[in-house]
Amino acid sequence: MEQRQPFPIAAWLIAAIASLGLFLAGADVWLAGAALLVWTGTLWLASSTPPPAPPREDDPPISRYRMSELIENSGSPILLVENGRVTVANRAARKTLGKHIVGQDARVAFRQPAAVKLIERGKSGIATIKGLVQRRDIWRVNLQKLSKGVGVVELVNMTAEADISRAHTDFVANASHELRTPLASIVGYVETLSESEDDLAPETRSKFLATILAEANRLQSLVSDLMSLSRIEAEKHDAPSEVISLREHVEQAARDAAGPDRQHRLLIEGEQDFRVEADARQIEQLVRNLVDNGLKYGAQNESVVVGLDEAKSGDARLTVRDFGEGIPPEHLPHLTRRFYRTDPGRSRASGGTGLGLAIVKHIVERHRGRMDIASEPGEGTLVTIRFPVARDAG
Amino acid sequence: MVEHTVKAFDEDITRLRGLISEMGGLAEVALQEAMDALVKGDNELADKVVKGDKKIDALESEVDKLAVRVIALRAPMADDLREVIAALKIAGVVERIGDYSKNIAKASREIGDRKQFEPLTLLPAMADVAGEMVHDILTAYAARDPALAREVIATDEKVDAFYNSIFRNVVTHMVENPATITAGAQLLFVARNIERIGDHATNVAEMVHFAATGNYPPDDDE
């Protein structure tokens, strides 16, 4: 676009005064006139061609500052490494590796040999390193080269994934083991019964039959627990929509779990009721599992206390406390894993499937609740579950 | 840290810290792999650890050269001087940690049958504690964190306690099974090496504390 600048009046005036001076100093009138003409003409020509506009770039290169803004709020740790030095680290990276890494040598941030090699090589690539933050964790370091000596490093925590894939393999192995054991004993007893039909004493026969029945029952409860676990897992991401009154269901389920024989050991505390968005059947199952655990593993002459009250946060708090031998602390983090048993022999003898707490955990997760298990060896165990109260409950 | 007017000085210090961290990372992995080799009886892995120690040695001499050059050319003062002196000393200690890992790897080749050795289950637990110390102290060095350094110093007691219990355990085992004396003696050396690694991690912790604050940690029992 042609853009004509205004005529430079001041410059022209100087030219005019200079020419006048020239004339007054005794120069020829024509010479002074010519000087003025040339001067003005030059000014005119120079001003009539505007300086060429700087070439516009539609896609300016992103500056380091803009880039740091861009990555700052990303959930995964991202760093910019320039010539072996960390120049930008986003919030997640600073949180993971510490604030000190900005401006430091990249090796201070990643001292693991595999990562050092990757960054030294200066080409895009991926390395898996162990012990970046904690000694046992696993991280994937993803380096993308931008230009010579400049690269973006993204960190991905693989620890959980390694755990999950291990848990999955464990589950398949465990489930088939758990199913096979009762089946093998059923098959064994039935074979014995059918092969030696005549020469078996009637007491032995009935003993065998009772074992078969017990094993078949165990198989049945195992299958039904597996079914409910997979159903709950499938529904895990649809929040329950029904609004129920919590106390009624909790009390009913607790009494069901205790049954007539153990009713005297059950103690229900609290008066307050809560309206929560929940699946009534699942809440009952949760309470049944917890109360059953408490009665089974608590001391046989002590009660199990079921409480329902308001937590500090305003949530509904369900507590199930038993007074048994408690759980050693090293088992606590694993309790909700499928088929995890602190004492395999005892649990199986009491008819446990090893899935009870896994089911509870999934139900709690589906209801957006929180679960906490505290235990003191020799004192007993306290399971606390908090449910958010329904908003429209008023 | 405040930047220096002479940019090259900054670069030297950064490079020095980078080299120390790299050495530390190698030493950490060496200990881990040496223990893996010991437990699994993996001689190839043991060889790898022994070979890998050369790289740590090379880095140490690089740190030495750079530190001397920085002192000669830049005449650092105050915290910069502490930083360089600490780097010089830490490099020597980390190199020793690498050597001990190498010794463990060498010893692992001498141990024949692993099945009948109960102390073999105690050693990895001990190495875990020592490895944790090495890991934490390198993190403390990177972050210039004196509090974490003091924590590492406190952990050394655990390693010593492990050493005493393993010592008794192995000796008892050797008395009962004279056939295992050769292997048992090797295990004692391994335990000794791990114990020394713990001590050296404590030394690094003292230097980290010194570099960060200018003082040695308070409950120094020297």
Side-chain angles (χ1 to χ4, degrees):
Chain A
M1 198 168 59
E2 187 103 349
Q3 199 179 0
R4 193 167 283 264
Q5 284 175 350
F7 187 78
I9 304 280
W12 185 81
L13 275 177
I14 292 171
I17 291 167
S19 302
L20 196 66
L22 211 62
F23 176 65
L24 290 179
D28 187 25
V29 64
W30 291 110
L31 182 65
L36 179 65
L37 193 70
V38 169
W39 198 324
T40 320
T42 325
L43 276 174
W44 182 261
L45 283 172
S47 73
S48 71
T49 43
R56 272 182 55 125
E57 284 181 56
D58 287 334
D59 206 4
I62 259 181
S63 68
R64 187 191 300 166
Y65 173 70
R66 291 290 301 281
M67 182 129 95
S68 71
E69 258 186 344
L70 198 67
I71 62 175
E72 174 65 16
N73 292 314
S74 160
S76 52
I78 300 175
L79 306 105
L80 190 68
V81 176
E82 285 179 66
N83 301 319
R85 251 175 120 149
V86 177
T87 48
V88 174
N90 73 347
R91 190 184 305 146
R94 292 196 304 270
K95 202 171 149 229
T96 312
L97 298 167
K99 274 198 219 77
H100 61 270
I101 55 164
V102 181
Q104 290 288 346
D105 195 298
R107 288 173 292 189
V108 172
F110 323 98
R111 59 173 174 268
Q112 289 70 18
V116 170
K117 213 180 276 172
L118 180 73
I119 290 170
E120 242 165 37
R121 208 172 43 140
K123 286 183 191 153
S124 301
I126 290 176
T128 304
I129 57 173
K130 215 173 133 183
L132 183 65
V133 186
Q134 241 91 57
R135 218 174 128 248
R136 297 246 162 256
D137 56 9
I138 298 166
W139 288 77
R140 196 173 62 204
V141 182
N142 182 356
L143 173 72
Q144 288 303 321
K145 184 182 164 191
L146 294 186
S147 58
K148 193 169 159 34
V150 182
V152 176
V153 177
E154 183 198 23
L155 300 171
V156 186
N157 190 348
M158 309 291 286
T159 321
E161 261 171 60
D163 276 355
I164 286 172
S165 68
R166 201 176 48 233
H168 191 81
T169 343
D170 281 0
F171 174 68
V172 174
N174 283 331
S176 52
H177 171 77
E178 298 284 334
L179 291 169
R180 213 176 275 158
T181 324
L183 267 179
S185 86
I186 292 174
V187 170
Y189 280 110
V190 171
E191 271 176 2
T192 319
L193 281 175
S194 59
E195 276 167 16
S196 47
E197 215 169 327
D198 311 322
D199 43 85
L200 264 183
E203 309 89 78
T204 323
R205 274 178 79 87
S206 58
K207 209 174 109 195
F208 280 9
L209 285 171
T211 313
I212 294 173
L213 183 65
E215 292 293 335
N217 279 337
R218 206 175 109 199
L219 208 53
Q220 196 174 30
S221 60
L222 193 58
V223 170
S224 80
D225 269 2
L226 274 175
M227 294 290 287
S228 50
L229 190 60
S230 76
R231 199 165 42 234
I232 294 161
E233 251 185 294
E235 291 175 338
K236 200 167 163 182
H237 298 289
D238 337 322
S241 51
E242 205 183 338
V243 176
I244 64 163
S245 134
L246 201 54
R247 173 160 293 277
E248 174 196 328
H249 290 281
V250 167
E251 288 189 1
Q252 182 59 44
R255 276 195 292 271
D256 286 354
D261 304 342
R262 301 186 292 185
Q263 203 63 246
H264 62 282
R265 286 178 57 206
L266 182 68
L267 222 72
I268 298 177
E269 282 182 346
E271 294 289 315
Q272 216 175 336
D273 194 6
F274 297 91
R275 295 187 65 72
V276 294
E277 282 184 352
D279 182 323
R281 263 189 23 249
Q282 290 189 354
I283 292 292
E284 283 177 14
Q285 186 172 19
L286 175 149
V287 175
R288 272 202 305 273
N289 285 357
L290 288 179
V291 171
D292 188 52
N293 275 350
L295 289 167
K296 237 175 356 201
Y297 303 121
Q300 293 308 305
N301 48 0
E302 290 277 6
S303 335
V304 167
V305 185
V306 178
L308 182 61
D309 58 4
E310 190 177 328
K312 269 194 206 123
S313 54
D315 293 344
R317 182 169 62 187
L318 170 71
T319 52
V320 178
R321 180 194 290 277
D322 71 53
F323 302 93
E325 56 195 79
I327 304 161
E330 67 266 26
H331 292 300
L332 287 179
H334 308 289
L335 287 177
T336 53
R337 266 167 46 186
R338 296 152 187 187
F339 301 120
Y340 187 85
R341 290 185 167 103
T342 57
D343 179 353
R346 187 187 62 169
S347 159
R348 220 168 273 141
S350 54
T353 57
L355 291 170
L357 280 178
I359 292 176
V360 169
K361 183 184 105 175
H362 282 290
I363 295 177
V364 171
E365 275 174 9
R366 184 177 170 216
H367 288 79
R368 312 287 183 267
R370 280 167 182 283
M371 168 168 170
D372 180 49
I373 304 177
S375 188
E376 196 65 43
E379 306 256 314
T381 304
L382 171 68
V383 183
T384 311
I385 294 171
R386 286 186 290 154
F387 291 108
V389 175
R391 287 276 152 262
D392 56 349
Chain B
M1 239 188 181
V2 191
E3 271 196 27
H4 292 95
T5 323
V6 184
K7 220 161 169 224
F9 184 22
D10 256 350
E11 263 161 34
D12 283 347
I13 294 249
T14 311
R15 210 165 91 77
L16 202 55
R17 293 176 61 80
L19 285 171
I20 297 271
S21 291
E22 188 180 353
M23 276 183 83
L26 284 168
E28 225 180 301
V29 171
L31 173 61
Q32 184 69 48
E33 288 183 341
M35 286 312 294
D36 282 353
L38 176 72
V39 173
K40 293 181 196 143
D42 184 342
N43 285 345
E44 262 173 49
L45 192 58
D47 289 343
K48 193 185 146 207
V49 174
V50 174
K51 277 199 200 103
D53 192 53
K54 289 219 178 67
K55 171 89 178 149
I56 301 183
D57 293 352
L59 279 170
E60 192 213 356
S61 70
E62 202 177 328
V63 168
D64 279 1
K65 268 184 229 147
L66 183 59
V68 169
R69 211 179 70 125
V70 168
I71 295 177
L73 290 183
R74 320 273 179 213
M77 304 288 273
D79 56 343
D80 298 326
L81 181 60
R82 290 206 304 271
E83 183 78 57
V84 178
I85 297 289
L88 207 54
K89 285 185 155 189
I90 290 172
V93 176
V94 172
E95 192 269 332
R96 291 298 302 156
I97 294 179
D99 282 350
Y100 289 126
S101 307
K102 183 172 78 178
N103 292 348
I104 295 173
K106 278 184 182 162
S108 108
R109 291 191 293 208
E110 308 294 325
I111 297 171
D113 188 13
R114 271 147 235 273
K115 287 265 166 62
Q116 41 171 318
F117 244 110
E118 189 221 330
L120 259 179
T121 55
L122 273 173
L123 280 172
M126 180 180 180
D128 261 357
V129 180
E132 197 84 41
M133 285 175 78
V134 175
H135 179 88
D136 284 351
I137 198 54
L138 291 169
T139 309
Y141 175 73
R144 296 188 169 95
D145 181 349
L148 184 55
R150 280 201 298 272
E151 258 174 56
V152 172
I153 294 174
T155 326
D156 193 39
E157 274 175 30
K158 272 201 231 165
V159 179
D160 292 347
F162 255 119
Y163 177 65
N164 292 334
S165 103
I166 288 175
F167 187 84
R168 261 179 270 127
N169 199 313
V170 175
V171 170
T172 318
H173 192 93
M174 289 195 295
V175 170
E176 286 163 4
N177 317 286
T180 61
I181 283 185
T182 318
Q186 292 291 348
L187 283 190
L188 280 182
F189 285 136
V190 170
R192 181 80 190 143
N193 282 320
I194 301 175
E195 195 264 341
R196 294 300 299 152
I197 288 176
D199 286 350
H200 278 331
T202 312
N203 288 344
V204 180
E206 280 165 7
M207 292 320 297
V208 168
H209 196 280
F210 171 71
T213 66
N215 300 314
Y216 284 100
D219 48 15
D220 200 357
D221 50 11
E222 267 175 43

